[in-house]
Amino acid sequence: MNYELKTAKTAGFEMDYLKFGSGKRTMVILPGIALSSVLQTAPAIAEAYSGFADEFTVYLFENRKNIRKGYTVEDMAEDAAAAMKDAGIEKACIFGASHGGMVAQSIAVLHPEIVEKLFIASSLSRPNEVFTGNLEEMDRLIKAGTLEEMNHFFFEHVYSEEYIEKYKDVFDFLAKMGTEEEVEKFLLLIDSCRNFDISDRISSIKCPAFAVGSKKDKMLTGEATAETAELLGCGYYLYEGFGHAVYDEAPDYKDRIMVFFGRS
């Protein structure tokens, strides 16, 4: 699958993104938070979503470069909308995963004119007790200087036990990774999650929307997905198995996205 790595440049910031596909419609992917840039795995992402390439031109946007203390999810939504404009995107079907789902909801509230459809993956509209506890533990582990332990905690709450066992060597290798700059950015992103709450404005979203999660989601619970859908007034589906990153694990997940977005 051919792809391009590009950079959106606005008056206030730069944001890297991945672009592939040749379809007439536009799909935007907003990923969850991670210690390292997801664009390091650009070939794998393009291949994983190659089934969308004929129907859509697909974009995956990272967070802006050099994020600052106090950077909120709403700030991220404003920046993502500006980056989409710089990339020439007028309207898109948006797939937001985890933290990216928070950003996607915020875009749909702040800039409804650019959202055709909204697919919310393993996300929430306000923090719950489980999610807040996990954020605090990751924050504590990082500040205690136990980055490898934090990475393992993160993996164990994002992926199912079966998935971790299958790719154990990869996760053991990744657990040792993380630069000082990446850790600092990760802590700022944790703060943005901690302060996120769009529950009182989510009902203003009028575009077609759908939410999918997992009943075994250890990061934020399946109930969070259900609550988000209920506040939004849209349909939802909860997998019986898999983990928080069910969007990476379930073999039929991308089919669900395509069915919801529809074909022209």
Side-chain angles (χ1 to χ4, degrees), residues 32-34 98 122 131 134 138 150-161 163-164 171 186 214 216-220 242-249:
I33 64 173
S98 190
S122 299
F131 186 52
N134 288 330
M138 289 189 288
M150 192 287 297
N151 277 327
H152 278 299
F153 179 90
F154 180 79
F155 299 148
E156 288 164 6
H157 284 72
V158 169
Y159 299 101
S160 66
E161 293 178 9
Y163 195 83
I164 291 175
F171 285 120
F186 191 79
S214 170
K216 294 186 177 181
D217 187 333
K218 296 179 182 178
M219 183 58 74
L220 50 80
F242 309 106
H244 173 72
V246 58
Y247 41 85
D248 287 336
E249 295 190 46

mmCIF file of all heavy atoms in Angstrom, residues 32-34 98 122 131 134 138 150-161 163-164 171 186 214 216-220 242-249:
data_model
loop_
_atom_site.group_PDB
_atom_site.id
_atom_site.type_symbol
_atom_site.label_atom_id
_atom_site.label_comp_id
_atom_site.label_asym_id
_atom_site.label_seq_id
_atom_site.Cartn_x
_atom_site.Cartn_y
_atom_site.Cartn_z
ATOM 1 N N GLY A 32 -5.341 6.861 19.532
ATOM 2 C CA GLY A 32 -5.200 7.059 20.964
ATOM 3 C C GLY A 32 -3.796 7.510 21.319
ATOM 4 O O GLY A 32 -2.911 7.575 20.459
ATOM 5 N N ILE A 33 -3.590 7.820 22.593
ATOM 6 C CA ILE A 33 -2.268 8.260 23.021
ATOM 7 C C ILE A 33 -1.315 7.067 23.075
ATOM 8 O O ILE A 33 -1.722 5.941 23.320
ATOM 9 C CB ILE A 33 -2.298 8.984 24.378
ATOM 10 C CG1 ILE A 33 -2.743 8.046 25.504
ATOM 11 C CG2 ILE A 33 -3.187 10.210 24.312
ATOM 12 C CD1 ILE A 33 -2.629 8.674 26.882
ATOM 13 N N ALA A 34 -0.065 7.342 22.827
ATOM 14 C CA ALA A 34 0.984 6.330 22.897
ATOM 15 C C ALA A 34 2.279 7.035 23.240
ATOM 16 O O ALA A 34 2.423 8.246 23.017
ATOM 17 C CB ALA A 34 1.115 5.593 21.570
ATOM 18 N N SER A 98 -10.136 5.729 21.319
ATOM 19 C CA SER A 98 -9.705 6.017 22.671
ATOM 20 C C SER A 98 -9.573 7.533 22.875
ATOM 21 O O SER A 98 -10.542 8.272 22.743
ATOM 22 C CB SER A 98 -8.391 5.286 22.962
ATOM 23 O OG SER A 98 -8.037 5.348 24.324
ATOM 24 N N SER A 122 -13.948 2.794 21.692
ATOM 25 C CA SER A 122 -13.394 2.635 23.048
ATOM 26 C C SER A 122 -13.060 3.981 23.681
ATOM 27 O O SER A 122 -11.933 4.236 24.095
ATOM 28 C CB SER A 122 -12.139 1.756 22.996
ATOM 29 O OG SER A 122 -12.428 0.473 22.517
ATOM 30 N N PHE A 131 -11.105 4.837 34.823
ATOM 31 C CA PHE A 131 -10.202 5.561 33.929
ATOM 32 C C PHE A 131 -9.302 6.514 34.713
ATOM 33 O O PHE A 131 -8.084 6.549 34.503
ATOM 34 C CB PHE A 131 -11.020 6.331 32.897
ATOM 35 C CG PHE A 131 -10.199 7.008 31.832
ATOM 36 C CD1 PHE A 131 -9.256 6.310 31.096
ATOM 37 C CD2 PHE A 131 -10.375 8.355 31.547
ATOM 38 C CE1 PHE A 131 -8.509 6.932 30.102
ATOM 39 C CE2 PHE A 131 -9.649 8.983 30.562
ATOM 40 C CZ PHE A 131 -8.708 8.271 29.836
ATOM 41 N N ASN A 134 -6.588 4.649 36.516
ATOM 42 C CA ASN A 134 -5.520 4.204 35.610
ATOM 43 C C ASN A 134 -4.597 5.356 35.222
ATOM 44 O O ASN A 134 -3.374 5.193 35.141
ATOM 45 C CB ASN A 134 -6.120 3.566 34.354
ATOM 46 C CG ASN A 134 -6.733 2.206 34.620
ATOM 47 O OD1 ASN A 134 -6.286 1.483 35.503
ATOM 48 N ND2 ASN A 134 -7.754 1.841 33.863
ATOM 49 N N MET A 138 -0.529 5.486 36.023
ATOM 50 C CA MET A 138 0.491 5.715 35.003
ATOM 51 C C MET A 138 1.335 6.930 35.339
ATOM 52 O O MET A 138 2.568 6.911 35.196
ATOM 53 C CB MET A 138 -0.168 5.867 33.623
ATOM 54 C CG MET A 138 -0.724 4.574 33.069
ATOM 55 S SD MET A 138 -1.261 4.690 31.332
ATOM 56 C CE MET A 138 -2.753 5.677 31.500
ATOM 57 N N MET A 150 5.572 1.124 33.891
ATOM 58 C CA MET A 150 4.430 1.884 33.394
ATOM 59 C C MET A 150 3.999 1.361 32.035
ATOM 60 O O MET A 150 2.808 1.186 31.761
ATOM 61 C CB MET A 150 4.783 3.372 33.280
ATOM 62 C CG MET A 150 3.559 4.281 33.047
ATOM 63 S SD MET A 150 2.792 4.218 31.392
ATOM 64 C CE MET A 150 4.134 4.830 30.351
ATOM 65 N N ASN A 151 4.963 1.086 31.162
ATOM 66 C CA ASN A 151 4.636 0.570 29.834
ATOM 67 C C ASN A 151 3.890 -0.758 29.928
ATOM 68 O O ASN A 151 2.909 -0.986 29.220
ATOM 69 C CB ASN A 151 5.908 0.405 29.003
ATOM 70 C CG ASN A 151 6.345 1.704 28.345
ATOM 71 O OD1 ASN A 151 5.518 2.522 27.972
ATOM 72 N ND2 ASN A 151 7.644 1.910 28.228
ATOM 73 N N HIS A 152 4.350 -1.637 30.807
ATOM 74 C CA HIS A 152 3.666 -2.922 30.976
ATOM 75 C C HIS A 152 2.247 -2.706 31.521
ATOM 76 O O HIS A 152 1.303 -3.383 31.088
ATOM 77 C CB HIS A 152 4.456 -3.846 31.905
ATOM 78 C CG HIS A 152 5.567 -4.566 31.225
ATOM 79 N ND1 HIS A 152 5.350 -5.439 30.165
ATOM 80 C CD2 HIS A 152 6.923 -4.567 31.429
ATOM 81 C CE1 HIS A 152 6.504 -5.945 29.764
ATOM 82 N NE2 HIS A 152 7.472 -5.416 30.504
ATOM 83 N N PHE A 153 2.099 -1.783 32.458
ATOM 84 C CA PHE A 153 0.769 -1.453 32.990
ATOM 85 C C PHE A 153 -0.133 -0.968 31.859
ATOM 86 O O PHE A 153 -1.301 -1.392 31.749
ATOM 87 C CB PHE A 153 0.904 -0.378 34.073
ATOM 88 C CG PHE A 153 -0.408 0.061 34.663
ATOM 89 C CD1 PHE A 153 -0.930 -0.584 35.773
ATOM 90 C CD2 PHE A 153 -1.122 1.129 34.110
ATOM 91 C CE1 PHE A 153 -2.149 -0.179 36.326
ATOM 92 C CE2 PHE A 153 -2.327 1.536 34.647
ATOM 93 C CZ PHE A 153 -2.840 0.877 35.759
ATOM 94 N N PHE A 154 0.382 -0.094 31.022
ATOM 95 C CA PHE A 154 -0.368 0.451 29.888
ATOM 96 C C PHE A 154 -0.793 -0.665 28.939
ATOM 97 O O PHE A 154 -1.974 -0.770 28.574
ATOM 98 C CB PHE A 154 0.494 1.481 29.159
ATOM 99 C CG PHE A 154 -0.162 2.116 27.960
ATOM 100 C CD1 PHE A 154 -1.090 3.134 28.119
ATOM 101 C CD2 PHE A 154 0.165 1.709 26.683
ATOM 102 C CE1 PHE A 154 -1.693 3.719 27.014
ATOM 103 C CE2 PHE A 154 -0.431 2.284 25.568
ATOM 104 C CZ PHE A 154 -1.354 3.303 25.734
ATOM 105 N N PHE A 155 0.155 -1.519 28.539
ATOM 106 C CA PHE A 155 -0.161 -2.608 27.617
ATOM 107 C C PHE A 155 -1.223 -3.537 28.192
ATOM 108 O O PHE A 155 -2.156 -3.952 27.488
ATOM 109 C CB PHE A 155 1.095 -3.426 27.294
ATOM 110 C CG PHE A 155 2.193 -2.645 26.616
ATOM 111 C CD1 PHE A 155 3.528 -2.964 26.832
ATOM 112 C CD2 PHE A 155 1.893 -1.586 25.770
ATOM 113 C CE1 PHE A 155 4.542 -2.257 26.215
ATOM 114 C CE2 PHE A 155 2.908 -0.854 25.151
ATOM 115 C CZ PHE A 155 4.231 -1.194 25.375
ATOM 116 N N GLU A 156 -1.084 -3.865 29.475
ATOM 117 C CA GLU A 156 -2.008 -4.806 30.116
ATOM 118 C C GLU A 156 -3.425 -4.243 30.231
ATOM 119 O O GLU A 156 -4.386 -5.009 30.340
ATOM 120 C CB GLU A 156 -1.479 -5.173 31.502
ATOM 121 C CG GLU A 156 -0.245 -6.075 31.455
ATOM 122 C CD GLU A 156 0.495 -6.130 32.784
ATOM 123 O OE1 GLU A 156 -0.027 -5.550 33.774
ATOM 124 O OE2 GLU A 156 1.580 -6.737 32.829
ATOM 125 N N HIS A 157 -3.550 -2.923 30.213
ATOM 126 C CA HIS A 157 -4.871 -2.308 30.294
ATOM 127 C C HIS A 157 -5.438 -1.951 28.926
ATOM 128 O O HIS A 157 -6.633 -1.641 28.819
ATOM 129 C CB HIS A 157 -4.827 -1.063 31.191
ATOM 130 C CG HIS A 157 -4.772 -1.389 32.643
ATOM 131 N ND1 HIS A 157 -3.643 -1.915 33.246
ATOM 132 C CD2 HIS A 157 -5.719 -1.310 33.621
ATOM 133 C CE1 HIS A 157 -3.892 -2.136 34.519
ATOM 134 N NE2 HIS A 157 -5.136 -1.771 34.779
ATOM 135 N N VAL A 158 -4.603 -2.005 27.908
ATOM 136 C CA VAL A 158 -5.058 -1.683 26.560
ATOM 137 C C VAL A 158 -5.384 -2.948 25.759
ATOM 138 O O VAL A 158 -6.358 -2.969 24.993
ATOM 139 C CB VAL A 158 -4.000 -0.835 25.818
ATOM 140 C CG1 VAL A 158 -4.326 -0.709 24.331
ATOM 141 C CG2 VAL A 158 -3.917 0.553 26.452
ATOM 142 N N TYR A 159 -4.587 -3.999 25.943
ATOM 143 C CA TYR A 159 -4.753 -5.221 25.158
ATOM 144 C C TYR A 159 -5.211 -6.388 26.025
ATOM 145 O O TYR A 159 -4.986 -6.409 27.241
ATOM 146 C CB TYR A 159 -3.443 -5.579 24.462
ATOM 147 C CG TYR A 159 -2.960 -4.521 23.506
ATOM 148 C CD1 TYR A 159 -1.946 -3.628 23.872
ATOM 149 C CD2 TYR A 159 -3.532 -4.383 22.254
ATOM 150 C CE1 TYR A 159 -1.520 -2.633 23.002
ATOM 151 C CE2 TYR A 159 -3.117 -3.393 21.379
ATOM 152 C CZ TYR A 159 -2.104 -2.525 21.753
ATOM 153 O OH TYR A 159 -1.691 -1.541 20.894
ATOM 154 N N SER A 160 -5.827 -7.371 25.390
ATOM 155 C CA SER A 160 -6.264 -8.568 26.100
ATOM 156 C C SER A 160 -5.054 -9.424 26.468
ATOM 157 O O SER A 160 -3.969 -9.303 25.868
ATOM 158 C CB SER A 160 -7.212 -9.381 25.225
ATOM 159 O OG SER A 160 -6.529 -9.894 24.088
ATOM 160 N N GLU A 161 -5.238 -10.298 27.439
ATOM 161 C CA GLU A 161 -4.164 -11.202 27.861
ATOM 162 C C GLU A 161 -3.703 -12.072 26.699
ATOM 163 O O GLU A 161 -2.504 -12.334 26.548
ATOM 164 C CB GLU A 161 -4.644 -12.075 29.019
ATOM 165 C CG GLU A 161 -4.907 -11.308 30.306
ATOM 166 C CD GLU A 161 -5.425 -12.206 31.410
ATOM 167 O OE1 GLU A 161 -5.424 -13.445 31.221
ATOM 168 O OE2 GLU A 161 -5.818 -11.677 32.473
ATOM 169 N N TYR A 163 -3.764 -11.389 23.491
ATOM 170 C CA TYR A 163 -3.015 -10.584 22.521
ATOM 171 C C TYR A 163 -1.607 -10.312 23.031
ATOM 172 O O TYR A 163 -0.634 -10.398 22.265
ATOM 173 C CB TYR A 163 -3.764 -9.269 22.281
ATOM 174 C CG TYR A 163 -3.312 -8.492 21.070
ATOM 175 C CD1 TYR A 163 -3.809 -8.804 19.807
ATOM 176 C CD2 TYR A 163 -2.422 -7.428 21.190
ATOM 177 C CE1 TYR A 163 -3.420 -8.081 18.692
ATOM 178 C CE2 TYR A 163 -2.032 -6.694 20.083
ATOM 179 C CZ TYR A 163 -2.526 -7.034 18.829
ATOM 180 O OH TYR A 163 -2.132 -6.309 17.729
ATOM 181 N N ILE A 164 -1.486 -9.998 24.312
ATOM 182 C CA ILE A 164 -0.169 -9.737 24.897
ATOM 183 C C ILE A 164 0.695 -10.997 24.859
ATOM 184 O O ILE A 164 1.891 -10.934 24.561
ATOM 185 C CB ILE A 164 -0.313 -9.218 26.343
ATOM 186 C CG1 ILE A 164 -0.913 -7.805 26.328
ATOM 187 C CG2 ILE A 164 1.041 -9.198 27.059
ATOM 188 C CD1 ILE A 164 -1.206 -7.239 27.690
ATOM 189 N N PHE A 171 6.055 -6.731 23.005
ATOM 190 C CA PHE A 171 5.691 -5.869 24.128
ATOM 191 C C PHE A 171 6.842 -5.738 25.130
ATOM 192 O O PHE A 171 7.056 -4.660 25.691
ATOM 193 C CB PHE A 171 4.434 -6.391 24.821
ATOM 194 C CG PHE A 171 3.171 -6.136 24.054
ATOM 195 C CD1 PHE A 171 2.370 -7.183 23.635
ATOM 196 C CD2 PHE A 171 2.781 -4.842 23.747
ATOM 197 C CE1 PHE A 171 1.202 -6.938 22.921
ATOM 198 C CE2 PHE A 171 1.615 -4.585 23.034
ATOM 199 C CZ PHE A 171 0.824 -5.648 22.622
ATOM 200 N N PHE A 186 3.756 12.434 26.990
ATOM 201 C CA PHE A 186 2.775 11.471 27.475
ATOM 202 C C PHE A 186 2.093 11.981 28.747
ATOM 203 O O PHE A 186 0.870 11.852 28.907
ATOM 204 C CB PHE A 186 3.456 10.124 27.725
ATOM 205 C CG PHE A 186 2.514 8.981 27.967
ATOM 206 C CD1 PHE A 186 1.872 8.347 26.911
ATOM 207 C CD2 PHE A 186 2.285 8.529 29.255
ATOM 208 C CE1 PHE A 186 1.006 7.286 27.133
ATOM 209 C CE2 PHE A 186 1.421 7.459 29.499
ATOM 210 C CZ PHE A 186 0.780 6.841 28.429
ATOM 211 N N SER A 214 -15.575 -2.646 24.274
ATOM 212 C CA SER A 214 -15.476 -4.023 24.744
ATOM 213 C C SER A 214 -15.930 -4.112 26.192
ATOM 214 O O SER A 214 -15.610 -3.241 27.003
ATOM 215 C CB SER A 214 -14.030 -4.530 24.632
ATOM 216 O OG SER A 214 -13.878 -5.768 25.294
ATOM 217 N N LYS A 216 -14.792 -6.045 28.263
ATOM 218 C CA LYS A 216 -13.612 -6.346 29.067
ATOM 219 C C LYS A 216 -12.570 -5.234 29.001
ATOM 220 O O LYS A 216 -11.390 -5.468 29.250
ATOM 221 C CB LYS A 216 -13.005 -7.669 28.616
ATOM 222 C CG LYS A 216 -13.900 -8.878 28.888
ATOM 223 C CD LYS A 216 -13.197 -10.183 28.551
ATOM 224 C CE LYS A 216 -14.071 -11.386 28.901
ATOM 225 N NZ LYS A 216 -13.399 -12.667 28.598
ATOM 226 N N ASP A 217 -13.003 -4.039 28.669
ATOM 227 C CA ASP A 217 -12.108 -2.889 28.584
ATOM 228 C C ASP A 217 -11.598 -2.537 29.986
ATOM 229 O O ASP A 217 -12.354 -2.058 30.831
ATOM 230 C CB ASP A 217 -12.864 -1.705 27.980
ATOM 231 C CG ASP A 217 -11.977 -0.507 27.692
ATOM 232 O OD1 ASP A 217 -10.947 -0.342 28.373
ATOM 233 O OD2 ASP A 217 -12.323 0.277 26.794
ATOM 234 N N LYS A 218 -10.314 -2.761 30.241
ATOM 235 C CA LYS A 218 -9.725 -2.481 31.549
ATOM 236 C C LYS A 218 -9.303 -1.020 31.702
ATOM 237 O O LYS A 218 -9.052 -0.560 32.807
ATOM 238 C CB LYS A 218 -8.495 -3.372 31.785
ATOM 239 C CG LYS A 218 -8.787 -4.853 31.863
ATOM 240 C CD LYS A 218 -7.491 -5.615 32.075
ATOM 241 C CE LYS A 218 -7.715 -7.121 32.116
ATOM 242 N NZ LYS A 218 -6.419 -7.847 32.279
ATOM 243 N N MET A 219 -9.217 -0.307 30.592
ATOM 244 C CA MET A 219 -8.754 1.078 30.657
ATOM 245 C C MET A 219 -9.863 2.039 31.071
ATOM 246 O O MET A 219 -9.670 2.910 31.915
ATOM 247 C CB MET A 219 -8.155 1.506 29.317
ATOM 248 C CG MET A 219 -7.585 2.919 29.304
ATOM 249 S SD MET A 219 -6.284 3.198 30.541
ATOM 250 C CE MET A 219 -4.910 2.310 29.791
ATOM 251 N N LEU A 220 -11.068 1.895 30.476
ATOM 252 C CA LEU A 220 -12.136 2.836 30.810
ATOM 253 C C LEU A 220 -13.504 2.183 30.985
ATOM 254 O O LEU A 220 -14.477 2.879 31.283
ATOM 255 C CB LEU A 220 -12.208 3.969 29.777
ATOM 256 C CG LEU A 220 -12.246 3.626 28.277
ATOM 257 C CD1 LEU A 220 -13.643 3.228 27.862
ATOM 258 C CD2 LEU A 220 -11.770 4.825 27.470
ATOM 259 N N PHE A 242 -11.859 -9.488 23.841
ATOM 260 C CA PHE A 242 -10.850 -8.501 23.452
ATOM 261 C C PHE A 242 -10.643 -7.475 24.570
ATOM 262 O O PHE A 242 -11.234 -7.583 25.636
ATOM 263 C CB PHE A 242 -11.209 -7.823 22.128
ATOM 264 C CG PHE A 242 -11.527 -8.791 21.025
ATOM 265 C CD1 PHE A 242 -12.824 -8.985 20.593
ATOM 266 C CD2 PHE A 242 -10.511 -9.552 20.440
ATOM 267 C CE1 PHE A 242 -13.124 -9.890 19.591
ATOM 268 C CE2 PHE A 242 -10.798 -10.462 19.437
ATOM 269 C CZ PHE A 242 -12.110 -10.627 19.007
ATOM 270 N N GLY A 243 -9.762 -6.503 24.324
ATOM 271 C CA GLY A 243 -9.446 -5.499 25.326
ATOM 272 C C GLY A 243 -9.866 -4.108 24.884
ATOM 273 O O GLY A 243 -10.664 -3.956 23.957
ATOM 274 N N HIS A 244 -9.312 -3.104 25.560
ATOM 275 C CA HIS A 244 -9.598 -1.710 25.213
ATOM 276 C C HIS A 244 -9.341 -1.458 23.731
ATOM 277 O O HIS A 244 -10.151 -0.832 23.047
ATOM 278 C CB HIS A 244 -8.723 -0.799 26.077
ATOM 279 C CG HIS A 244 -8.790 0.644 25.722
ATOM 280 N ND1 HIS A 244 -9.890 1.427 25.996
ATOM 281 C CD2 HIS A 244 -7.886 1.461 25.106
ATOM 282 C CE1 HIS A 244 -9.672 2.665 25.569
ATOM 283 N NE2 HIS A 244 -8.467 2.705 25.033
ATOM 284 N N ALA A 245 -8.215 -1.966 23.224
ATOM 285 C CA ALA A 245 -7.862 -1.785 21.810
ATOM 286 C C ALA A 245 -8.527 -2.860 20.955
ATOM 287 O O ALA A 245 -7.896 -3.476 20.093
ATOM 288 C CB ALA A 245 -6.352 -1.813 21.629
ATOM 289 N N VAL A 246 -9.810 -3.054 21.165
ATOM 290 C CA VAL A 246 -10.562 -4.026 20.371
ATOM 291 C C VAL A 246 -10.496 -3.668 18.895
ATOM 292 O O VAL A 246 -10.569 -4.532 18.024
ATOM 293 C CB VAL A 246 -12.036 -4.085 20.868
ATOM 294 C CG1 VAL A 246 -12.709 -2.733 20.783
ATOM 295 C CG2 VAL A 246 -12.828 -5.135 20.120
ATOM 296 N N TYR A 247 -10.297 -2.392 18.591
ATOM 297 C CA TYR A 247 -10.170 -1.940 17.207
ATOM 298 C C TYR A 247 -8.932 -2.528 16.525
ATOM 299 O O TYR A 247 -8.865 -2.597 15.303
ATOM 300 C CB TYR A 247 -10.151 -0.415 17.124
ATOM 301 C CG TYR A 247 -9.334 0.267 18.200
ATOM 302 C CD1 TYR A 247 -7.960 0.443 18.061
ATOM 303 C CD2 TYR A 247 -9.938 0.722 19.370
ATOM 304 C CE1 TYR A 247 -7.211 1.057 19.058
ATOM 305 C CE2 TYR A 247 -9.201 1.341 20.363
ATOM 306 C CZ TYR A 247 -7.840 1.503 20.203
ATOM 307 O OH TYR A 247 -7.094 2.101 21.200
ATOM 308 N N ASP A 248 -7.936 -2.943 17.307
ATOM 309 C CA ASP A 248 -6.763 -3.626 16.748
ATOM 310 C C ASP A 248 -6.925 -5.138 16.779
ATOM 311 O O ASP A 248 -6.299 -5.847 15.982
ATOM 312 C CB ASP A 248 -5.498 -3.262 17.548
ATOM 313 C CG ASP A 248 -5.012 -1.856 17.289
ATOM 314 O OD1 ASP A 248 -5.326 -1.321 16.207
ATOM 315 O OD2 ASP A 248 -4.332 -1.298 18.158
ATOM 316 N N GLU A 249 -7.739 -5.652 17.700
ATOM 317 C CA GLU A 249 -7.811 -7.089 17.932
ATOM 318 C C GLU A 249 -8.937 -7.802 17.189
ATOM 319 O O GLU A 249 -8.737 -8.910 16.684
ATOM 320 C CB GLU A 249 -7.956 -7.359 19.431
ATOM 321 C CG GLU A 249 -6.757 -6.933 20.267
ATOM 322 C CD GLU A 249 -6.856 -7.448 21.695
ATOM 323 O OE1 GLU A 249 -7.177 -8.639 21.868
ATOM 324 O OE2 GLU A 249 -6.635 -6.659 22.630
#
